[in-house]
């Protein structure tokens, strides 16, 4: 990569040189105290349009807009999460592996924000130890608790910065290609929930009939610190709290999720143990303080909406994790 100078476009290699290294998953190795992780600071953003084209602006940032019933009480709206599945769904081409493309595009346009700091004896074009997508860090963070899904990350050291990207594993590729129609519908239902609860502008309400196009995204770019390591991370943000009192990004962002309605204590434990853990990891890494979850009936109707504070989740799942891990190790 040296020959490429300041060109940050990813190298095109059909057969990447892999020097495999593994991460141990023995639970006892991760029993120590929680490392220092600084609340990330947003330094930029970008949008990806319906054709997955990059724009250096907020055009795909959406506004949280929760319907409220009489006397300010929250409503259980009964929205049909399957509405539009056949006719109003444009799905991103999952065969196209973008890697770090959009982050590199952002970096290419914002070099002055991260340039070399010669007075401190640092001379690297991107003055950060690591550059990556938030989703990749979520996978690393959940590793000690994940027993089903593996991952494979490709790390490139370029001029003093480690660029962490993902290679789809054989198992993940197989699982993707063999998704059942029910699994495809579940994926759609998550995106459809966003359409019911988000508005494109401050003046309009949600467009419940809008096309669901999974090419579209608003991404935040943030500086973070994990112990002594500096990171630049980018992640997709679902929506912003538009109220005038809302704090600065990323604290004004809201993560949206869907999950099956919980009907018994066993389902509650499983929800806490698997879903809440991942939801927490994902939102914690970007510094998103609130998760709004829609619970769906077997008929894919929204039966309730719940708001979780990200910082409360560790307390909710702690007992559950020690129980589960105690049984495994
Ligand atoms: O091609 C790939 N394998 C990847 C693509 C791997 C990782 C990320 N990406 C792209 C996504 O398409 C998205 O634009 O990066 C962007 C998001 O990055 P992230 O925030 O680091 O990703 P993550 O935290 O894993 O997911 C955040 C959201 C998801 O929300 P939910 O609530 O379902 O976790 O990004 C979306 C999804 O809405 N998302 C995707 N959308 C389309 N195709 C994908 C995907 N493969 N992955 C995540
Ligand atoms: Ca989401």
């Amino acid at each position: 990569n040296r020959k490429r100078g300041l060109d940050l476009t990813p190298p095109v290699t059909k057969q990447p040189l892999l020097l495999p290294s593994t991460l141990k998953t023995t639970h006892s190795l991760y029993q120590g105290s929680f490392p220092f992780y600084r609340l990330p600071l947003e330094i930029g953003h970008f949008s990806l349009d319906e054709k997955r084209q990059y724009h250096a602006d907020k055009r795909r940032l959406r506004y949280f807009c929760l319907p409220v019933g009489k006397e300010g009480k929250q409503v259980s709206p009964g929205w049909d999460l399957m509405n539009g599945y056949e006719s109003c769904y444009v799905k991103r081409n999952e065969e196209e592996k973008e890697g770090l493309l959009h982050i590199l595009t952002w970096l290419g346009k914002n070099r002055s924000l991260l340039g070399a700091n010669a007075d401190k004896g640092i001379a690297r074009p991107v003055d950060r130890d690591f550059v990556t997508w938030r989703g990749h860090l979520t996978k690393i963070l959940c590793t000690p608790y994940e027993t089903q899904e593996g991952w494979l990350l490709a790390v490139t050291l370029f001029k003093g910065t480690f660029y962490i990207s993902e290679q789809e594993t054989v198992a993940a590729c197989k699982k993707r290609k063999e998704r059942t129609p029910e699994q495809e519908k579940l994926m759609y239902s998550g995106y459809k929930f966003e359409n019911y609860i988000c508005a494109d502008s401050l003046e309009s309400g949600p467009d419940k009939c809008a096309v669901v196009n999974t090419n579209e995204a608003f991404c935040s770019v943030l500086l973070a610190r994990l112990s002594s390591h500096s990171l630049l991370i980018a992640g997709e943000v679902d929506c912003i709290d538009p109220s005038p009192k809302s704090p600065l990004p990323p604290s004004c962002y809201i993560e949206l999720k869907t999950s099956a309605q919980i009907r018994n204590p066993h389902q509650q434990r499983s929800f806490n143990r698997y879903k809440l853990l991942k939801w927490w990891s994902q939102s914690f890494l970007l510094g998103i303080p609130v998760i709004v979850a829609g619970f769906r009936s077997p008929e894919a109707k929204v039966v309730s909406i719940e708001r979780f504070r990200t910082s409360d989740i560790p307390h909710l799942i702690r007992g559950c994790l020690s129980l589960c891990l105690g049984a495994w190790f």
Side-chain angles (χ1 to χ4, degrees), residues 190 194 236 238 254-258 282:
E194 294 177 8
E236 189 173 323
D238 291 329
I254 298 175
E255 172 64 35
L256 303 176
K257 293 287 180 196
T258 52
Q282 194 186 36

Side-chain angles (χ1 to χ4, degrees), residues 127-147:
D127 195 9
R128 293 268 111 189
D129 300 328
F130 295 93
V131 169
T132 193
W133 283 108
R134 174 268 309 272
H136 304 342
L137 295 182
T138 308
K139 287 188 177 168
I140 298 175
L141 184 55
C142 291
T143 301
Y145 306 104
E146 175 61 60
T147 56

